[in-house]
């Protein structure tokens, strides 16, 4: 019998979550039934959306049930299969959750996807060539729709989504400007990811200061904005949006623990004739194949760079997740499980 370490959500946070909201348990793996596949996880993805799932209230998705394994994207290897489509040794992406192994009903549509790790590292399928990459691709190409020569700004620019947004914008001939927390992240965004500029929002304590810095970094105004944060950053960008600018509302992480994030100048949506569109990447599955193909080709050829923050062992997942919500991660936050 193989032991499976799992992390359960055992209580719901009021405001900031703590490690007490989670519990580590050990269970024995059951024998496989027909149609099932046993996957040993190599990496678990930690993502900001998980904070929303910890709440009781229904959002665009059902809440994470209490006393069940936390939801999460995973990549791993098939170790045993009772499904004709999968063989031991196959590398697969799934939603295996915060645990070392998952027994997957492989007949469920979308439960597993085989991935080719010849030219793309397996962990990238949780980042630049996975859900965060497709999120960047979708929001930029379908909502911001930038043309060559235009200016695109993205917040949380050094992260899993933001880093891809700026590099795709550059590849399309745009000026790419990031907003990130701290000098190290900003240096990385410019020097390694190739953005034209990056503003450290922590240096700007009020709206006027951030908005003035944006004016300097975006002398021709802003045509496309990819929003990951909300609050003062969103207000500062809105003040610099050009007429008919497009804003992709991808995330509002500064409010995920329940803080109010009022918008100071909604009148600018009217005055500047802005388009502001929220989106959830999992509702656009039709876009995934083309996006994954493009992102995979770019990563394999070295044209799309990314960085990972790796925590080790399933026991470290809660702490690493809390860190992600505070910006302690630098690039895609993963947990290595083997
Ligand atoms: P990141 O890798 O960017 O990590 C989160 C980053 O957010 C932190 O590193 C931190 O960066 C920044 N951050 C956290 N709290 C604050 C705060 N209070 N103010 C400013 N910045 C903060 O995460 P992802 O790339 O995975 O996700 C980025 C965004 O995209 C999130 O909002 C997420 O919810 C959203 N998302 C939306 C999807 C959709 O379908 N709509 C799908 C996937 C992601 P820093 O140190 O620079 O502040």
């Amino acid at each position: 019998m193989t032991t499976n370490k799992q992390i359960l959500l055992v209580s719901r946070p009021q405001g900031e979550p703590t490690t007490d909201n989670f519990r580590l348990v050990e269970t024995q793996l059951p024998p496989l039934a027909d149609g099932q596949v046993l996957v040993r996880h190599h990496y678990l993805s930690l993502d900001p959306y998980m904070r929303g799932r910890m709440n009781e209230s229904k959002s665009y998705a059902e809440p994470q049930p209490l006393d069940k394994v936390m939801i999460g994207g995973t990549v791993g290897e098939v170790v045993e299969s009772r499904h004709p489509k999968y063989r031991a040794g196959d590398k697969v992406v799934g939603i295996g959750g915060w645990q070392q192994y998952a027994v997957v009903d492989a007949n469920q549509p979308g439960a597993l996807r085989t991935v080719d790790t010849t030219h793309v590292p397996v962990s990238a399928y949780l980042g630049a060539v996975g859900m965060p990459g497709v999120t960047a691709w979708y929001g930029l190409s379908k909502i911001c729709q930038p043309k060559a020569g235009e200016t695109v700004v993205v917040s949380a620019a050094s992260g899993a989504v933001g880093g891809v947004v700026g590099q795709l914008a550059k590849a399309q001939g745009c000026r790419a400007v990031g907003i990130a927390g701290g000098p190290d992240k900003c240096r990385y965004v410019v020097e390694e990811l190739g953005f034209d500029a990056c503003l450290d929002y922590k240096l700007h304590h009020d709206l006027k200061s951030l908005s003035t810095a944006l004016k300097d970094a975006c002398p021709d105004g802003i045509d496309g904005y990819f929003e990951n944060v909300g609050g003062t950053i969103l207000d500062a960008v809105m003040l610099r949006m050009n007429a008919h600018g497009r804003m992709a509302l991808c995330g509002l992480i500064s409010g995920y623990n329940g803080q109010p994030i009022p918008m100071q100048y909604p009148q600018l949506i009217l005055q500047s004739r802005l388009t502001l569109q929220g989106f959830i990447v999992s509702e656009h599955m039709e876009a995934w194949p083309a996006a994954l193909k493009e992102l995979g080709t770019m990563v394999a050829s070295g044209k799309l760079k990314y960085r990972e923050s790796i925590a080790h062992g399933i026991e470290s997942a809660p702490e690493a997740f809390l860190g992600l919500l505070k910006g302690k991660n630098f690039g895609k936050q993963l947990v290595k499980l083997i």
Side-chain angles (χ1 to χ4, degrees):
M1 287 288 255
T2 307
T3 302
N4 186 22
K5 288 188 185 173
Q6 308 174 308
I7 305 254
L8 316 181
L9 180 72
V10 294
S11 60
R12 301 200 185 277
Q14 306 297 325
E16 237 181 72
T18 69
T19 52
D20 291 343
N21 297 128
F22 303 97
R23 184 185 306 140
L24 176 72
V25 296
E26 293 189 10
T27 55
Q28 301 301 318
L29 287 169
L32 293 188
D34 272 348
Q36 288 185 331
V37 168
L38 176 63
V39 181
R40 182 174 188 191
H41 295 148
H42 289 200
Y43 290 94
L44 162 69
S45 175
L46 296 177
D47 297 271
Y49 76 83
M50 294 165 173
R51 175 63 189 87
R53 300 289 173 92
M54 294 171 80
N55 293 338
E56 179 77 66
S57 54
K58 188 174 182 302
S59 173
Y60 58 89
E62 292 292 334
Q64 158 75 38
L66 288 180
D67 301 319
K68 297 276 188 249
V69 177
M70 264 302 282
I71 186 175
T74 45
V75 280
E77 184 172 335
V78 173
V79 288
E80 196 187 331
S81 174
R82 292 193 59 185
H83 190 283
K85 217 177 126 194
Y86 298 95
R87 284 180 313 176
D90 286 350
K91 298 287 191 307
V92 287
V93 174
I95 308 177
W98 295 25
Q99 54 183 341
Q100 293 172 309
Y101 293 86
V103 174
V104 183
D105 178 359
N107 285 319
Q108 265 194 337
L112 286 180
R113 183 163 50 85
T114 309
V115 292
D116 181 354
T117 55
T118 321
H119 301 293
V120 173
V122 72
S123 60
Y125 286 104
L126 295 177
V129 193
M131 186 277 282
V134 178
T135 302
W137 187 97
Y138 187 89
L140 185 73
S141 60
K142 300 293 181 190
I143 301 175
C144 294
Q145 297 183 23
K147 296 179 209 63
E150 290 190 335
T151 298
V152 172
V153 173
V154 57
S155 53
S158 74
V161 174
V164 177
V165 171
Q167 292 180 86
L168 291 179
K170 281 302 289 176
Q172 290 172 30
C174 299
R175 177 173 176 78
V177 175
I179 302 173
D184 291 345
K185 288 185 175 181
C186 283
R187 198 174 312 112
Y188 161 76
V189 163
V190 173
E191 291 177 8
E192 292 188 45
L193 300 185
F195 285 46
D196 295 285
C198 185
L199 302 185
D200 177 359
Y201 69 86
K202 292 184 176 169
L203 292 178
H204 302 281
H205 298 290
D206 57 57
L207 177 57
K208 189 165 181 292
S209 167
L210 187 57
S211 162
T212 305
L214 268 170
K215 191 178 181 187
D216 294 340
C218 307
D220 298 327
I222 302 168
D223 304 290
Y225 179 48
F226 194 108
E227 175 62 304
N228 288 320
V229 173
T232 308
I233 293 178
L234 174 57
D235 292 329
V237 171
M238 279 182 65
L239 287 168
R240 299 291 164 214
M241 289 298 291
N242 288 332
H244 304 289
R246 290 83 54 194
M247 305 171 72
L249 209 61
C250 172
L252 295 167
I253 196 167
S254 66
Y256 285 4
N257 285 331
Q259 311 90 318
I261 37 171
M263 186 187 272
Q264 287 211 33
Y265 300 108
Q267 62 268 40
L268 288 169
I269 300 172
L270 174 63
Q271 288 164 11
S272 305
R273 287 86 79 211
L274 303 176
T275 302
L276 194 161
Q277 189 182 329
F279 73 102
I280 296 298
V281 71
S282 54
E283 292 180 349
H284 301 281
M285 293 315 289
E286 75 293 343
W288 284 56
L292 288 174
K293 193 166 175 221
E294 186 178 332
L295 295 162
T297 306
M298 287 178 80
V299 165
S301 61
K303 289 192 183 123
L304 182 61
K305 302 202 175 88
Y306 60 90
R307 180 173 171 137
E308 295 170 339
S309 275
I310 300 185
H312 292 269
I314 194 70
E315 297 83 353
S316 68
E319 199 69 61
F321 174 65
L322 304 183
L324 169 74
L325 296 175
K326 292 188 178 138
K328 288 190 184 156
N329 64 309
F330 193 159
K332 173 68 209 160
Q333 182 67 57
L334 298 169
V335 183
K336 195 169 190 301
L337 298 174
I338 57 159

